[in-house]
């Protein structure tokens, strides 16, 4: 097992590159991918890293070097993936609500495409007919995922073609001679229960006879990783075992081979990431002690947006007794990372580390309040490398057109 980055190294990086800073650990990414490969070694499986979690080119290159493929939610992610060296056959484009022109562009780049609406499927059929194999994203009407904002498969969700519209899909496929190469379902993020994936597999099992050219069954991403200490993540070995059984059953029933496809984001990069901040201000208010850090939801939005829990440690004073602190940012509205969290005694100037910061941390950051986006550092074999510079003042003006 790969050890977490040491507090000493994190402090060294904070001194060297300043704070706030995102730090990623390459070997942890490798370890996560190896777990997936091992769990699915008995059935043909392709993993496409959901790059929306973290798109830094160095991260993409590292993930590519492991033999992992890449899933993209926008044409720009597709371009970043190609820029990072992924072969077009190993790039998957799974978007939603996009103009057909974006799909045309993806086709012109030669990547795998999943389509998420009848409207775009019809346009696709009319333009490409049988010439370009395509996947369809279905909405299975399954409620799953850590919270409603990250649940994507339920019956009120905007994602995918509702499964009850199967007849319309089939009519379209016939009318435009579409080559349906795959079926796709992504029910949400932070799905601990393996049975959710099995429900999707059951749906695929019933659908396959309608799509004689289907060769991949894409079960999306959404594997849960532990955020709290002692919390369980998705049992990936069990998932691997169950998916292997289903795939074998499918092959035996329909007399052909199917590939299982997955699009994990968090599972691959969440735990590799550390976000280091510095305490600017301590403020006592009744029983509450606020520790105000030099960051905010502009840098790590997950606590405010999803009420997500991120483990925090005061790495400047680890051995001190613990007291409850409310950790807040410096943004001009309520900006709470954690409430009454027991942490080693905090002094102004101490460094607080947020764990599980690799996925949807930097990536969902913004320049709100005209704050700079943090620097990013990648640790490879114990060596820290700057892979993203902290913004500078010019970045705030970069796209502004001065007319006055
Ligand atoms: N595939 C599709 C089509 C997706 O929409 C997503 C995530 C994934 C794969 C990867 O899911 P993952 O394995 O990372 O859970 N920003 C939220 C998570 C939302 C993810 C949206 N789509 C968060 O910070 O919790």
């Amino acid at each position: 097992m790969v050890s977490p980055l040491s507090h000493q190294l994190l402090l060294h990086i904070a001194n060297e590159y300043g704070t706030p800073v995102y730090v990623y650990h390459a070997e942890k990414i490798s370890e996560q991918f190896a777990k997936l490969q091992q769990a699915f070694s008995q059935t043909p499986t392709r993993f496409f890293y959901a790059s929306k979690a973290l798109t830094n080119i160095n991260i993409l290159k590292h993930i590519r070097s492991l033999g992992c493929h890449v899933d993209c939610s926008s044409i720009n992610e597709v371009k970043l993936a190609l820029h990072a060296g992924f072969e077009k056959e190993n790039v998957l484009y799974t978007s939603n609500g996009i103009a057909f022109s974006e799909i045309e562009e993806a086709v012109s780049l030669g990547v795998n495409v999943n389509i998420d609406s009848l409207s775009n499927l019809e346009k696709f059929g009319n333009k490409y007919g049988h010439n370009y194999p395509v996947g369809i994203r279905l909405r299975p009407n399954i409620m799953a995922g850590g919270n409603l904002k990250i649940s994507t498969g339920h019956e009120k969700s905007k994602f995918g073609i509702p499964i009850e519209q199967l007849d319309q899909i089939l009519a379209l496929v016939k009318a435009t001679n579409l080559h349906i190469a795959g079926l796709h379902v992504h029910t949400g993020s932070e799905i601990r229960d393996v049975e959710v994936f099995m429900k999707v597999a059951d749906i695929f099992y019933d659908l396959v006879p309608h799509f004689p050219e289907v060769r991949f069954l894409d079960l999306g991403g959404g594997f849960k990783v532990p955020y709290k200490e002692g919390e369980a993540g998705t049992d990936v070995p069990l998932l691997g075992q169950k998916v292997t059984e289903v795939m074998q059953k499918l092959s035996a029933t329909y007399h052909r081979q199917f590939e299982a496809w997955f699009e994990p984001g968090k599972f691959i990069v969440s735990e590799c990431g550390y976000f280091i901040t510095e305490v600017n201000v301590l403020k006592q208010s009744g029983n509450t002690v606020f520790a105000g850090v030099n960051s905010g939801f502009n840098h790590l939005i997950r606590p405010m947006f999803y009420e997500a829990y991120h483990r925090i440690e005061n790495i400047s004073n680890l051995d001190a007794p613990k007291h409850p602190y409310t950790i807040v940012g410096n943004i001009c509205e309520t900006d709470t990372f954690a409430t009454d969290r027991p942490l080693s005694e905090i002094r102004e100037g101490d460094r607080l580390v947020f764990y599980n910061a690799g996925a949807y941390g930097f990536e969902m950051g913004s320049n709100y309040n005209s704050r700079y986006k943090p620097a990013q550092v990648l640790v490879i074999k114990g060596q820290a490398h700057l892979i993203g510079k902290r913004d500078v003042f010019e970045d705030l003006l970069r796209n502004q057109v001065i007319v006055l």
Side-chain angles (χ1 to χ4, degrees):
M1 200 176 124
V2 173
S3 313
L5 295 182
S6 70
H7 298 125
Q8 211 182 358
L9 179 59
L10 293 175
L11 283 171
H12 168 75
I13 290 171
N15 289 336
E16 183 84 12
Y17 299 97
T19 62
V21 58
Y22 274 96
V23 184
Y24 312 115
H25 186 192
E27 285 78 23
K28 180 63 185 167
I29 297 178
S30 314
E31 179 181 63
Q32 291 299 99
F33 183 62
K35 285 184 198 166
L36 293 174
Q37 278 187 306
Q38 193 178 352
F40 290 84
S41 60
Q42 300 305 312
T43 191
T45 310
R46 291 177 74 183
F47 295 101
F48 297 80
Y49 162 60
S51 59
K52 70 196 84 182
L54 181 59
T55 50
N56 184 285
I57 292 291
N58 302 279
I59 299 291
L60 295 179
K61 284 187 175 174
H62 177 68
I63 287 174
R64 177 180 171 271
S65 77
L66 304 173
C68 186
H69 305 154
V70 65
D71 177 51
C72 304
S73 61
S74 72
I75 196 70
N76 292 336
E77 282 184 5
V78 169
K79 290 177 187 170
L80 285 172
L82 295 171
H83 184 75
F86 283 94
E87 295 73 16
K88 59 185 189 317
E89 302 76 32
N90 297 336
V91 177
L92 176 60
Y93 172 57
T94 311
S95 57
N96 74 93
I98 35 124
F100 185 62
S101 54
E102 220 180 279
I103 295 178
E104 290 176 303
E105 202 176 346
V107 169
S108 74
L109 294 170
V111 302
N112 298 289
V113 175
N114 281 327
I115 292 188
D116 134 296
S117 67
L118 280 176
S119 153
N120 274 332
L121 193 64
E122 182 170 17
K123 290 174 193 154
F124 196 93
N126 286 334
K127 175 139 188 188
Y128 303 106
H130 203 258
N131 296 331
Y132 203 91
V134 69
I136 34 181
R137 178 171 187 175
L138 297 161
R139 192 192 71 195
N141 301 336
I142 295 173
M143 178 63 93
N147 62 69
L148 195 56
K149 284 191 184 136
I150 56 175
S151 297
T152 50
H154 58 85
E155 61 188 3
K156 297 228 159 43
S157 159
K158 68 163 180 168
F159 296 98
I161 306 174
I163 190 101
E164 59 273 19
Q165 293 173 9
L166 178 63
D167 287 348
Q168 281 160 270
I169 298 173
L170 293 175
L172 253 178
V173 171
K174 196 163 170 222
T176 60
N177 194 21
L178 274 159
H179 180 165
I180 303 299
L183 303 176
H184 171 280
V185 163
H186 170 77
T187 51
S189 203
E190 295 186 28
I191 300 167
R192 182 164 39 209
D193 187 1
V194 167
E195 284 313 311
V196 171
F197 293 95
M198 300 330 293
K199 272 192 216 165
V200 173
D202 284 346
I203 292 175
F204 284 158
Y205 192 84
D206 294 338
L207 286 175
V208 161
H210 296 286
F211 299 97
E213 292 177 299
V214 157
R215 57 178 186 81
F216 69 85
L217 299 171
D218 183 343
L219 291 111
F223 305 163
K224 177 156 178 51
V225 292
Y227 278 88
K228 294 186 177 156
E229 222 154 351
E231 191 181 26
T234 308
D235 185 341
V236 167
L238 179 67
L239 181 65
Q241 189 191 319
K242 294 212 163 190
V243 168
T244 303
E245 283 164 19
V246 174
M247 298 306 282
Q248 283 168 354
K249 192 169 126 195
L250 270 158
S251 296
T253 311
Y254 301 116
H255 308 293
R256 56 199 169 100
Q257 272 286 328
F258 297 92
E259 277 180 1
W261 286 16
F262 287 98
E263 304 159 358
K266 267 181 202 168
F267 187 82
I268 295 183
V269 296
S270 174
E271 290 161 281
C272 85
Y274 303 73
F275 181 48
I276 314 177
T277 63
E278 188 167 320
V279 177
N280 282 338
V281 173
L282 285 171
K283 189 187 279 185
Q284 176 96 37
S285 160
N287 289 332
T288 302
V289 183
F290 291 107
V293 297
N294 61 349
S295 178
F297 69 68
N298 52 324
H299 296 154
L300 179 63
I301 202 173
R302 301 193 72 258
M304 284 307 292
F305 201 45
Y306 309 114
E307 289 175 29
Y309 181 100
H310 283 260
R311 201 159 62 80
I312 304 173
E313 268 184 337
N314 177 4
I315 52 170
S316 299
N317 203 17
L318 270 171
D319 298 329
K322 293 201 168 167
H323 304 292
Y325 292 94
T326 293
I327 310 300
V328 292
N330 55 16
I331 287 296
C332 62
E333 52 184 294
T334 303
D335 184 15
T336 310
F337 287 117
T339 305
D340 289 335
R341 183 77 66 86
L343 289 174
S344 309
E345 184 182 348
I346 296 179
R347 302 148 310 175
E348 291 182 358
D350 281 355
R351 266 69 180 264
L352 303 192
V353 170
F354 294 73
Y355 292 91
N356 279 77
Y360 310 106
F362 181 87
E363 207 62 29
M364 291 177 81
S366 76
N367 288 112
Y368 188 38
N369 280 197
S370 294
R371 295 276 172 201
Y372 299 149
K373 285 209 211 158
Q376 298 180 91
V377 168
L378 177 60
V379 176
I380 311 171
K381 296 194 183 118
Q383 291 297 314
H385 305 266
L386 183 67
I387 59 164
K389 290 184 198 162
R390 184 181 314 287
D391 281 347
V392 290
F393 187 69
E394 288 68 39
D395 292 315
L396 302 178
L397 289 169
R398 189 154 34 113
N399 287 323
Q400 297 201 32
V401 179
I402 310 302
V403 295
L404 291 177

